[in-house]
Amino acid sequence: MYSFKNDYSEGAHPRILEKLLKTNLEQTEGYGKDKYCIEAENLIKNKLNNKDVNVHFISGGTQTNLIAISAFLRPYEAAISANTGHIQVNEAGSIEATGHKVIPVNVEDGKLRKEDIVSVLSKYTNEHVVKPKLVYISNSTEIGTIYTKSELEGLNQVCRENNLILFMDGARLGSALACKENDLTFEDISKLTDAFYIGGTKNGALLGEALVICNKDLQEDFRYNLKQKGAMLAKGRLLGIQFTELFKDDLYIEIAKHENDMADILREGIKSLGYDFLVDSPSNQVFPILDNEVIEKLEKSYGFNIWEKVNEERTAIRLVTSFATKEENCLEFIKVLNEITNK
Amino acid sequence: MYSFKNDYSEGAHPRILEKLLKTNLEQTEGYGKDKYCIEAENLIKNKLNNKDVNVHFISGGTQTNLIAISAFLRPYEAAISANTGHIQVNEAGSIEATGHKVIPVNVEDGKLRKEDIVSVLSKYTNEHVVKPKLVYISNSTEIGTIYTKSELEGLNQVCRENNLILFMDGARLGSALACKENDLTFEDISKLTDAFYIGGTKNGALLGEALVICNKDLQEDFRYNLKQKGAMLAKGRLLGIQFTELFKDDLYIEIAKHENDMADILREGIKSLGYDFLVDSPSNQVFPILDNEVIEKLEKSYGFNIWEKVNEERTAIRLVTSFATKEENCLEFIKVLNEITNK
Amino acid sequence: MYSFKNDYSEGAHPRILEKLLKTNLEQTEGYGKDKYCIEAENLIKNKLNNKDVNVHFISGGTQTNLIAISAFLRPYEAAISANTGHIQVNEAGSIEATGHKVIPVNVEDGKLRKEDIVSVLSKYTNEHVVKPKLVYISNSTEIGTIYTKSELEGLNQVCRENNLILFMDGARLGSALACKENDLTFEDISKLTDAFYIGGTKNGALLGEALVICNKDLQEDFRYNLKQKGAMLAKGRLLGIQFTELFKDDLYIEIAKHENDMADILREGIKSLGYDFLVDSPSNQVFPILDNEVIEKLEKSYGFNIWEKVNEERTAIRLVTSFATKEENCLEFIKVLNEITNK
Amino acid sequence: MYSFKNDYSEGAHPRILEKLLKTNLEQTEGYGKDKYCIEAENLIKNKLNNKDVNVHFISGGTQTNLIAISAFLRPYEAAISANTGHIQVNEAGSIEATGHKVIPVNVEDGKLRKEDIVSVLSKYTNEHVVKPKLVYISNSTEIGTIYTKSELEGLNQVCRENNLILFMDGARLGSALACKENDLTFEDISKLTDAFYIGGTKNGALLGEALVICNKDLQEDFRYNLKQKGAMLAKGRLLGIQFTELFKDDLYIEIAKHENDMADILREGIKSLGYDFLVDSPSNQVFPILDNEVIEKLEKSYGFNIWEKVNEERTAIRLVTSFATKEENCLEFIKVLNEITNK
């Protein structure tokens, strides 16, 4: 049975495994001080056209979020997140476990806007409540939507005006930047956020996220946080090697583009069969609304996530494409859905 | 320049990389619920001859220590550790960051004994101080020594009598168990400790430790802790695949034995040149005491760690062997040391 | 200018000060082990008709909440609270600072019901989210409403069925129990909750809350938590002396009844002038909805809190009565309000 | 039986109770914003001859230590303390509970010197260990010794040179400053430390410590920390009123001087009977070394703490004097000791 459950169902892009094989017996320094981590940091700085950032390689997204946020905040400061934000609903209280409240904001499309931040600030004004200090956004969001440059500029502005930190979770940043609708560049993001990360795990790597700290005030002593939270791998090279391969040419974006292309096939095919979508997502996550009976039949041939009940008869599911998804997998899915639909 | 700095200077044992290659495009469940993690758990249970344990796969040692210890303790409870213990001196306050004090005990050889625990308990007797609750030991220790069965039984007894948790850091458990002097088995350890881990990173894996929770009272809900601390890898298979390979036959112990054999060559050779050792370590870490001038010359050809100043003229260094260390590397080192010594 | 801002604007009930004076030079043990704390614990056990509880005296409500909740929960467990709950909106992230998420539930009247808990449990079902474990309620609530026996029994039932801890914040428990509408007794509460506290600060004491731990599983080692969080007063007698005075006869409830009687005068008087209330609160907090112009004029003579904007013209304010509020203060307020209203 | 167990066995200095009585029914603002807290802050600023400090009133010493230290440090930073320091041995892991390691330094007399700090810094030099950032000292120390101006200047210098925070626990600051041997003033301390506190509880108050934050960089947003840790009393006036009384004239130092005078009677008397002392302490704590048989007899008439076994036959005890200790209590003690000694 083929699975569209997520973009981490398979191992790594073949080029990454090749590189691991090729470098396997080289001796390197431990703890992220090896030549590959250094090279990967430089490749990323080049891609950002920004030499002033710091880059740290971390195993996974939850770990990156909790280390960055706990490092950036004072004890009484809180993070603002969309109600769908990964730190709010998918990390088992990881941020709170480091001592910080997450302030959720109800939004329709997974995205925070300038106005949302202003509204939160107006309600948190004295020491009987936490102090909102960091704005957490995801791009692409947990429901596949992406930020426009104008939206990100708005957030940047409100953060500067109110001395807030803007942090972007980029677990699926590749897919966001590879969207046809996207008007943001890596460089823009490094200029408009205080920190963000470039997700590897969901973009063809075995594991690994590259945390980019753009704001100089947040860079000092950061490696202490990595060590203390258990994120400093003895064989840090494992992350460095993967990111050198992803960023030595355009592999990172090529993988993302492939994911989006495969998602487009699903999107177009499903739409052509007359189905609606829960959300209009341009990236590698697709949320069609199907009749419950259709879903039941589909589950016999495909793995996917049940996302949200829409009404008594219909439910939204989630389909995700990965570096390894093939065109034939997508076409076959549409064919099966067509058969079920028209039976 | 060849490095004896540590056992994580190279990638992974070739069989592990082969297995990763071979399974790369298989689709599996995420978050450690894949078939490889399940198979690895079963292989380890078989090796322990103990079906009642739980096994969790975690990226690294510091992360394993902090997750296990914070999961096992109530807020006011503390861990007892040798003064050389990894949690006391090498983890940037990771245990304290989860809220718990580490009580260090000064010992000569890196090992805690029954009497050390009794002594600590006699001093911590009311609510103005923390409550010692967990005994943290490492096997092999941070200075290469290993526990005998009798010593571990002593610790087990004092822990049972005082309702303490006995936790063994096994970052280098392979090397300990593969020592000629060792009289402990995997099964013994699963019976005598409440929890321990089987280190992969320093025993031929790319990364990964297998945490074994033996005490049923400590097993409930454990995966919540993994998630909350950022240790649940999306592609958890990466750890499962490696441990299936390490435990499907005797590869794990074979690698450890190789490490020890290589260390033996270094040990014997250095001893034959008339040098003493800081500590009598039978495992894959060797701590010769050399004249400062000798060290200076040696540094031109070899990488190693300066461990401890012994007096004005002499210093102990640390040499570590890995899965990838070759006999010729060791023989060559002895040859170079001989030349420097007798020049 | 007279203030109805809160029930902690004045010092202490005269009998409490007298008792402090009278006992001032007696020598007692420190840290809450003095004879007065012991006596007060016994008096409270008698009042509860329950010898199996433990009682601890703590300076304030936020401190009591954070110590109890952090002591009761494992790291990944969370507290469920009404959206108006003190721990959710008035304690500067104190619960999160101990590592735990607060799950807010939107309710109209400040009270959680059985159904609210069931609904939360249905959404938190795996280790990617926190595990709801403790139900936090306040009686009277932050908006002056009170729990009926039937409602509390419902919560008790859902907690038993789902292995949850039911914890009642009783900062204003006196006022709740002294309401005409109340059908709960101290004894009921000690049987239906796992822990609760009896508020002193808002009921005539200088400071101090009596935390009652009813569930035997939660009693062990509790004093360690007091010490660790800085709540064990050297002169613990200060709390013990006050609670002996409050509970040696019916002073505690008499003070509460006085507060409610004074609030009744305000309520009746305001109602008779034709005003509505934001919430129908029977206890010592009153929430009339007034025209903005009326409020502006009232502020020249009285202190009170602006609570919530109702619409463009009208706003709810909060009036609170204390042990020291006099009948004439209330009658005078109604007179002034009448004059403003009918001018 | 008369107790010399500690300086918190009785209530409060009579003038404090009088002031509480006199002001009891005045209405004031809550949470430390009342006129008495403001007045007390100003009185203290005058006493320090330093207008640039911030003053916060907190219930007790452990609470003050944990709030200040957790507010001042980043997650990976640690506090350096003497091995006898209150935060190291008497606070049930309160600092670790906020996430920070305490680095103990073995010293003979309870005092840290410049050299101790330099020595610690030389050992903590990379991100595998915590980063020492705050120097915690007590004056008078936990064993009754006091800092000279020159010693404090040395600490100030090493802290400035290494960007460390110097924090003084002044639970018994009165007794230190009132010593004949003392050459420090309140003003000196406010200039030489980054923060310190003026202990009330052990100097005649019912409860309360005045935390003085001298370093402007540490002042911002501090009240959030008070609230979050449960230290913001609803009736904050209780602390403000007491400190206005202690600092409106020289009452604070007069009480301390009385404590020291009473301790002098004990010291002189014990010395004249031929006994030695564990430590040469000039303040209100006295540590005579007595034969075990003498102690046994003494315990029939007096309460005191057994401090430390010196050898098989002899033990050091601790005697503490308070605002309420009378000359006759001390003379009588010497008389009884004389009788026991010479029987």
Side-chain angles (χ1 to χ4, degrees):
Chain A
M1 184 161 67
Y2 192 82
S3 171
F4 285 105
K5 275 197 184 168
N6 54 51
D7 32 18
Y8 39 89
S9 294
E10 300 93 0
H13 190 277
R15 271 180 53 190
I16 283 177
L17 282 189
E18 274 167 44
K19 183 75 169 283
L20 286 173
L21 265 176
K22 199 175 147 195
T23 59
N24 189 45
L25 293 181
E26 291 179 16
Q27 289 193 311
T28 60
E29 287 293 304
Y31 302 112
K33 295 193 146 177
D34 61 280
K35 65 177 181 178
Y36 292 105
C37 283
I38 295 167
E39 184 185 345
E41 174 162 12
N42 286 327
L43 289 170
I44 287 171
K45 286 178 175 180
N46 286 341
K47 192 72 78 185
L48 304 181
N49 195 26
N50 187 338
K51 299 293 185 201
D52 296 329
V53 304
N54 276 185
V55 183
H56 302 279
F57 300 100
I58 301 176
S59 296
T62 296
Q63 198 174 41
T64 307
N65 286 334
L66 80 88
I67 293 173
I69 293 174
S70 68
F72 297 161
L73 298 183
R74 308 289 315 168
Y76 53 88
E77 294 176 340
I80 304 171
S81 164
N83 57 325
T84 47
H86 210 260
I87 58 168
Q88 168 66 3
V89 290
N90 275 306
E91 302 189 354
S94 64
I95 303 305
E96 291 86 354
T98 68
H100 303 281
K101 197 177 187 77
V102 176
I103 301 171
V105 179
N106 286 327
V107 293
E108 286 298 307
D109 60 357
K111 295 198 278 180
L112 290 178
R113 267 83 170 192
K114 195 177 163 174
E115 300 72 40
D116 299 312
I117 310 308
V118 171
S119 169
V120 167
L121 293 178
S122 73
K123 290 175 205 146
Y124 288 75
T125 57
N126 66 49
E127 68 259 11
H128 292 262
V129 288
V130 291
K131 185 172 181 176
K133 179 68 180 177
L134 181 143
V135 175
Y136 167 91
I137 58 173
S138 306
N139 193 28
S140 65
T141 69
E142 294 75 7
I143 51 173
T145 53
I146 66 171
Y147 280 86
T148 65
K149 188 170 180 181
S150 157
E151 288 165 344
L152 195 61
E153 285 170 341
L155 288 171
N156 171 277
Q157 188 197 340
V158 77
C159 287
R160 280 176 193 240
E161 286 169 4
N162 295 283
N163 199 22
L164 305 181
I165 295 164
L166 182 55
F167 176 65
M168 181 188 283
D169 176 331
R172 290 192 176 95
L173 184 57
S175 180
L177 297 188
C179 281
K180 295 187 202 81
E181 293 81 347
N182 172 62
D183 64 353
L184 278 167
T185 65
F186 274 122
E187 186 173 355
D188 292 337
I189 294 172
S190 85
K191 299 258 164 79
L192 294 171
T193 68
D194 292 285
F196 69 102
Y197 70 89
I198 302 170
T201 309
K202 292 165 179 166
N203 206 81
L206 279 175
L207 84 171
E209 321 292 306
L211 173 65
V212 181
I213 308 182
C214 313
N215 181 338
K216 281 190 159 306
D217 294 341
L218 303 177
Q219 293 175 354
E220 191 184 5
D221 285 341
F222 196 82
R223 278 173 57 84
Y224 281 91
N225 298 295
L226 293 181
K227 182 70 198 177
Q228 188 183 68
K229 298 297 189 285
M232 200 180 272
L233 295 184
K235 296 179 181 172
R237 63 193 273 159
L238 172 59
L239 304 176
I241 289 168
Q242 295 184 83
F243 275 91
T244 55
E245 196 60 24
L246 288 168
F247 279 89
K248 80 174 191 190
D249 50 25
D250 286 328
L251 180 59
Y252 185 79
I253 288 296
E254 279 170 19
I255 289 172
K257 199 173 169 316
H258 172 79
E259 293 183 354
N260 289 358
D261 287 348
M262 294 305 101
D264 281 345
I265 297 177
L266 293 175
R267 250 186 301 266
E268 295 307 314
I270 294 166
K271 194 182 293 178
S272 73
L273 293 174
Y275 290 109
D276 286 333
F277 296 84
L278 183 70
V279 59
D280 187 19
S281 65
S283 63
N284 76 323
Q285 299 185 83
V286 185
F287 299 85
I289 298 172
L290 304 178
D291 295 346
N292 295 341
E293 293 165 23
V294 171
I295 292 172
E296 212 173 302
K297 287 174 188 160
L298 211 46
E299 281 176 326
K300 289 177 186 153
S301 312
Y302 287 97
F304 49 82
N305 285 302
I306 301 297
W307 196 256
E308 194 181 306
K309 188 175 162 174
V310 171
N311 58 32
E312 284 307 311
E313 289 84 36
R314 298 191 306 154
T315 300
I317 66 167
R318 184 183 75 156
L319 304 171
V320 192
T321 56
S322 83
F323 78 92
T325 309
K326 292 186 186 142
E327 191 169 346
E328 65 201 59
N329 304 137
C330 301
L331 293 173
E332 176 73 20
F333 177 89
I334 299 301
K335 195 178 141 203
V336 171
L337 179 59
N338 185 21
E339 287 167 10
I340 293 172
T341 304
N342 296 312
K343 199 171 283 178
Chain B
M1 185 160 68
Y2 192 81
S3 170
F4 285 106
K5 275 196 184 170
N6 54 51
D7 32 18
Y8 40 86
S9 294
E10 299 94 1
H13 191 277
R15 274 181 51 192
I16 283 178
L17 283 191
E18 275 168 43
K19 184 74 169 284
L20 286 173
L21 267 175
K22 200 175 146 194
T23 59
N24 190 45
L25 292 182
E26 291 179 15
Q27 289 192 313
T28 59
E29 287 293 305
Y31 302 111
K33 295 193 146 176
D34 61 280
K35 66 177 182 179
Y36 293 106
C37 283
I38 294 166
E39 183 185 346
E41 174 161 13
N42 286 328
L43 290 170
I44 287 172
K45 286 179 175 178
N46 286 341
K47 192 70 82 184
L48 304 180
N49 195 27
N50 187 338
K51 300 293 184 202
D52 297 329
V53 304
N54 275 186
V55 183
H56 301 279
F57 301 101
I58 301 176
S59 295
T62 296
Q63 199 175 41
T64 306
N65 287 333
L66 80 87
I67 293 173
I69 293 174
S70 69
F72 297 163
L73 298 183
R74 307 289 315 169
Y76 53 88
E77 293 175 340
I80 304 172
S81 164
N83 58 323
T84 46
H86 209 260
I87 59 168
Q88 167 66 3
V89 291
N90 275 305
E91 302 188 354
S94 63
I95 303 303
E96 291 86 354
T98 68
H100 302 282
K101 196 177 189 75
V102 177
I103 302 171
V105 179
N106 286 326
V107 293
E108 286 298 307
D109 60 357
K111 295 198 279 182
L112 289 179
R113 268 81 172 194
K114 194 177 165 175
E115 300 73 42
D116 298 312
I117 310 308
V118 171
S119 168
V120 167
L121 292 178
S122 73
K123 290 175 206 144
Y124 287 75
T125 58
N126 66 48
E127 68 258 10
H128 291 263
V129 287
V130 291
K131 185 171 181 177
K133 178 69 181 180
L134 181 144
V135 175
Y136 167 91
I137 58 174
S138 305
N139 192 27
S140 62
T141 69
E142 293 76 7
I143 53 174
T145 53
I146 66 171
Y147 280 86
T148 65
K149 187 169 180 182
S150 157
E151 287 166 345
L152 195 61
E153 285 170 341
L155 288 171
N156 172 276
Q157 188 197 339
V158 76
C159 286
R160 282 177 191 238
E161 286 169 4
N162 295 283
N163 199 24
L164 305 181
I165 295 164
L166 183 55
F167 175 65
M168 182 188 282
D169 175 330
R172 290 191 177 98
L173 185 57
S175 180
L177 296 188
C179 282
K180 296 186 201 80
E181 293 82 345
N182 172 63
D183 64 352
L184 279 168
T185 64
F186 273 122
E187 185 173 354
D188 294 336
I189 293 171
S190 85
K191 298 258 165 78
L192 293 171
T193 68
D194 292 285
F196 70 102
Y197 70 90
I198 303 171
T201 310
K202 292 166 178 165
N203 206 81
L206 278 175
L207 84 170
E209 322 291 307
L211 173 65
V212 181
I213 307 183
C214 314
N215 181 337
K216 282 190 159 304
D217 293 342
L218 303 177
Q219 293 174 353
E220 192 185 4
D221 285 342
F222 195 82
R223 278 173 56 85
Y224 281 92
N225 298 294
L226 293 181
K227 183 68 199 176
Q228 189 184 66
K229 297 297 188 288
M232 200 181 273
L233 296 183
K235 295 180 180 172
R237 64 194 271 162
L238 173 59
L239 304 176
I241 289 167
Q242 295 186 83
F243 275 92
T244 54
E245 195 62 25
L246 288 168
F247 279 90
K248 79 176 192 189
D249 50 25
D250 286 327
L251 181 58
Y252 185 79
I253 287 297
E254 278 169 23
I255 289 172
K257 197 172 171 316
H258 172 79
E259 293 184 353
N260 290 357
D261 288 346
M262 294 304 101
D264 281 343
I265 297 177
L266 294 174
R267 249 186 302 266
E268 296 306 315
I270 293 166
K271 193 183 291 179
S272 74
L273 294 173
Y275 290 109
D276 286 334
F277 295 85
L278 183 73
V279 59
D280 187 19
S281 65
S283 63
N284 76 324
Q285 298 185 85
V286 185
F287 299 85
I289 298 171
L290 305 177
D291 296 345
N292 295 341
E293 295 166 20
V294 171
I295 292 171
E296 212 171 304
K297 288 174 186 161
L298 211 47
E299 280 176 326
K300 290 176 186 154
S301 312
Y302 286 97
F304 48 82
N305 284 302
I306 300 298
W307 196 256
E308 191 181 307
K309 188 176 163 175
V310 171
N311 58 33
E312 285 306 313
E313 289 84 37
R314 299 190 305 155
T315 301
I317 66 166
R318 184 182 77 156
L319 305 171
V320 192
T321 56
S322 83
F323 79 92
T325 310
K326 290 185 187 145
E327 191 169 347
E328 64 202 61
N329 304 136
C330 301
L331 293 171
E332 176 74 19
F333 177 88
I334 299 302
K335 195 178 140 201
V336 171
L337 179 59
N338 185 19
E339 286 166 11
I340 292 172
T341 306
N342 295 309
K343 199 170 281 178
Chain C
M1 185 160 67
Y2 192 82
S3 169
F4 284 106
K5 275 197 183 167
N6 54 52
D7 31 19
Y8 40 88
S9 293
E10 299 93 1
H13 191 277
R15 271 179 53 189
I16 283 177
L17 283 189
E18 274 167 45
K19 183 74 170 281
L20 287 174
L21 266 175
K22 199 176 148 194
T23 58
N24 190 44
L25 292 181
E26 290 179 16
Q27 289 193 312
T28 60
E29 287 293 305
Y31 301 113
K33 295 194 147 177
D34 62 278
K35 65 176 182 179
Y36 293 105
C37 282
I38 294 166
E39 185 186 343
E41 174 161 12
N42 286 328
L43 288 170
I44 288 171
K45 286 178 176 179
N46 286 340
K47 191 72 78 187
L48 304 181
N49 194 26
N50 188 338
K51 300 293 183 200
D52 296 330
V53 304
N54 276 186
V55 183
H56 301 279
F57 300 100
I58 301 176
S59 295
T62 296
Q63 198 174 40
T64 306
N65 287 334
L66 79 88
I67 293 173
I69 293 174
S70 69
F72 297 162
L73 298 183
R74 307 290 314 169
Y76 53 88
E77 294 175 341
I80 304 171
S81 164
N83 57 325
T84 47
H86 209 258
I87 59 168
Q88 168 66 3
V89 290
N90 275 303
E91 302 190 353
S94 64
I95 303 305
E96 291 86 354
T98 69
H100 302 282
K101 197 178 189 75
V102 176
I103 301 171
V105 179
N106 287 327
V107 293
E108 287 298 309
D109 59 359
K111 295 198 279 180
L112 289 179
R113 267 82 171 192
K114 194 177 164 175
E115 299 73 41
D116 299 311
I117 310 308
V118 171
S119 168
V120 168
L121 293 178
S122 73
K123 290 175 206 146
Y124 287 76
T125 58
N126 66 48
E127 68 259 11
H128 290 263
V129 287
V130 291
K131 185 172 181 176
K133 178 69 180 178
L134 181 144
V135 175
Y136 167 91
I137 58 173
S138 306
N139 193 28
S140 64
T141 69
E142 293 75 7
I143 52 173
T145 52
I146 66 171
Y147 279 86
T148 65
K149 187 169 179 181
S150 157
E151 288 165 344
L152 195 61
E153 285 170 342
L155 288 171
N156 170 276
Q157 188 197 339
V158 77
C159 286
R160 280 176 193 240
E161 286 169 3
N162 295 284
N163 198 23
L164 305 180
I165 295 164
L166 182 55
F167 175 65
M168 181 188 283
D169 176 332
R172 290 191 176 97
L173 184 57
S175 180
L177 296 189
C179 282
K180 296 189 201 78
E181 292 81 347
N182 173 62
D183 64 351
L184 278 167
T185 64
F186 274 122
E187 187 173 353
D188 293 337
I189 294 172
S190 84
K191 298 258 164 78
L192 294 171
T193 69
D194 292 285
F196 70 102
Y197 70 91
I198 302 171
T201 308
K202 291 165 179 167
N203 206 80
L206 278 175
L207 83 171
E209 322 292 307
L211 173 65
V212 181
I213 308 182
C214 314
N215 181 337
K216 280 189 160 306
D217 294 342
L218 303 177
Q219 293 174 354
E220 192 185 4
D221 286 341
F222 195 81
R223 278 172 58 83
Y224 280 91
N225 298 295
L226 292 181
K227 182 69 199 176
Q228 189 183 66
K229 298 296 189 286
M232 200 181 272
L233 295 184
K235 296 179 181 174
R237 62 192 274 161
L238 173 58
L239 303 176
I241 289 167
Q242 295 185 83
F243 275 92
T244 56
E245 197 60 25
L246 288 169
F247 278 90
K248 79 175 190 188
D249 51 24
D250 285 329
L251 181 59
Y252 185 79
I253 288 296
E254 278 169 21
I255 289 172
K257 198 173 171 316
H258 172 80
E259 293 183 354
N260 290 358
D261 287 348
M262 294 305 100
D264 280 344
I265 297 177
L266 294 174
R267 249 186 301 266
E268 295 307 313
I270 294 166
K271 194 182 291 177
S272 74
L273 294 174
Y275 290 110
D276 286 333
F277 296 85
L278 183 71
V279 59
D280 186 18
S281 66
S283 63
N284 76 323
Q285 298 185 84
V286 186
F287 298 85
I289 298 171
L290 304 178
D291 295 346
N292 294 342
E293 293 165 23
V294 170
I295 291 172
E296 212 173 302
K297 288 175 188 160
L298 211 46
E299 280 176 326
K300 289 175 187 155
S301 312
Y302 287 97
F304 48 82
N305 284 303
I306 300 297
W307 196 255
E308 194 182 307
K309 189 177 161 174
V310 171
N311 58 33
E312 285 307 312
E313 289 85 36
R314 298 191 306 155
T315 301
I317 66 166
R318 184 183 75 157
L319 304 171
V320 193
T321 56
S322 83
F323 78 93
T325 310
K326 291 185 187 145
E327 192 170 346
E328 65 202 58
N329 304 137
C330 302
L331 293 173
E332 176 73 20
F333 177 88
I334 299 302
K335 198 179 139 200
V336 171
L337 180 59
N338 185 19
E339 287 167 10
I340 293 172
T341 305
N342 295 312
K343 200 170 282 178
Chain D
M1 185 161 67
Y2 191 82
S3 170
F4 284 106
K5 273 196 185 169
N6 55 51
D7 32 18
Y8 41 86
S9 294
E10 300 93 0
H13 190 279
R15 274 180 52 190
I16 283 177
L17 282 191
E18 274 167 43
K19 184 74 169 283
L20 287 173
L21 265 176
K22 201 175 146 194
T23 58
N24 190 45
L25 293 182
E26 291 179 14
Q27 289 193 312
T28 60
E29 287 293 305
Y31 301 112
K33 295 193 148 178
D34 60 279
K35 66 176 182 178
Y36 293 105
C37 283
I38 295 166
E39 184 185 344
E41 175 161 12
N42 286 328
L43 290 170
I44 287 171
K45 286 179 175 179
N46 286 340
K47 191 71 81 186
L48 304 180
N49 194 26
N50 188 338
K51 300 293 183 200
D52 296 330
V53 304
N54 275 187
V55 183
H56 301 279
F57 301 100
I58 301 175
S59 294
T62 296
Q63 199 174 40
T64 307
N65 286 333
L66 79 88
I67 293 173
I69 293 174
S70 68
F72 297 162
L73 298 183
R74 308 287 317 166
Y76 54 88
E77 294 176 339
I80 304 172
S81 164
N83 56 324
T84 47
H86 209 260
I87 59 168
Q88 167 67 2
V89 290
N90 276 304
E91 301 188 355
S94 63
I95 302 305
E96 291 86 355
T98 68
H100 303 281
K101 197 178 187 76
V102 176
I103 302 172
V105 179
N106 286 326
V107 293
E108 287 298 308
D109 60 357
K111 295 198 279 182
L112 289 179
R113 267 82 171 192
K114 193 177 165 173
E115 299 74 41
D116 299 312
I117 309 310
V118 171
S119 169
V120 167
L121 293 178
S122 74
K123 290 175 206 145
Y124 287 76
T125 57
N126 66 48
E127 68 259 10
H128 291 263
V129 287
V130 291
K131 185 171 181 177
K133 179 68 180 179
L134 181 144
V135 175
Y136 168 90
I137 57 174
S138 305
N139 193 28
S140 64
T141 69
E142 293 75 6
I143 51 172
T145 53
I146 65 171
Y147 279 86
T148 64
K149 187 169 180 180
S150 156
E151 287 166 345
L152 195 60
E153 286 170 342
L155 289 171
N156 171 276
Q157 188 197 339
V158 76
C159 286
R160 282 177 191 239
E161 286 169 4
N162 295 284
N163 199 21
L164 306 181
I165 295 164
L166 182 55
F167 175 64
M168 182 188 283
D169 175 330
R172 291 191 176 96
L173 184 57
S175 180
L177 296 188
C179 282
K180 295 187 202 80
E181 293 81 347
N182 173 63
D183 64 351
L184 278 167
T185 64
F186 273 122
E187 185 172 354
D188 293 337
I189 293 171
S190 84
K191 299 259 164 76
L192 293 171
T193 69
D194 293 284
F196 69 103
Y197 70 91
I198 302 171
T201 309
K202 292 166 178 166
N203 206 79
L206 277 175
L207 83 170
E209 322 291 308
L211 173 65
V212 181
I213 308 182
C214 314
N215 181 337
K216 281 189 160 304
D217 293 343
L218 303 177
Q219 293 174 354
E220 192 185 4
D221 285 341
F222 196 81
R223 279 173 56 85
Y224 281 91
N225 298 294
L226 293 181
K227 183 69 199 175
Q228 189 184 67
K229 298 296 190 288
M232 201 181 272
L233 296 183
K235 296 179 180 172
R237 62 193 274 160
L238 173 60
L239 303 175
I241 290 168
Q242 295 186 83
F243 274 92
T244 54
E245 196 60 25
L246 288 168
F247 278 89
K248 79 176 191 188
D249 50 25
D250 285 328
L251 181 59
Y252 185 79
I253 288 296
E254 278 169 23
I255 288 172
K257 199 174 170 314
H258 172 80
E259 292 183 354
N260 289 359
D261 287 347
M262 295 304 101
D264 281 344
I265 297 176
L266 294 174
R267 248 185 303 264
E268 297 305 315
I270 293 166
K271 193 183 292 178
S272 74
L273 293 174
Y275 290 109
D276 286 334
F277 295 85
L278 184 71
V279 60
D280 187 18
S281 66
S283 63
N284 75 325
Q285 298 186 85
V286 185
F287 299 86
I289 298 171
L290 304 177
D291 296 346
N292 295 341
E293 294 166 21
V294 170
I295 292 171
E296 212 172 304
K297 287 174 187 162
L298 212 46
E299 281 176 325
K300 289 176 185 153
S301 312
Y302 287 97
F304 49 81
N305 284 302
I306 300 298
W307 195 255
E308 191 180 309
K309 189 176 163 175
V310 171
N311 58 33
E312 284 307 312
E313 288 84 36
R314 298 192 306 156
T315 301
I317 66 167
R318 184 182 75 156
L319 304 171
V320 192
T321 56
S322 83
F323 79 92
T325 309
K326 292 185 186 144
E327 191 170 346
E328 64 202 60
N329 304 136
C330 300
L331 293 173
E332 177 73 19
F333 177 87
I334 299 302
K335 197 179 139 199
V336 170
L337 180 59
N338 185 19
E339 287 167 10
I340 292 172
T341 305
N342 294 309
K343 198 171 281 179

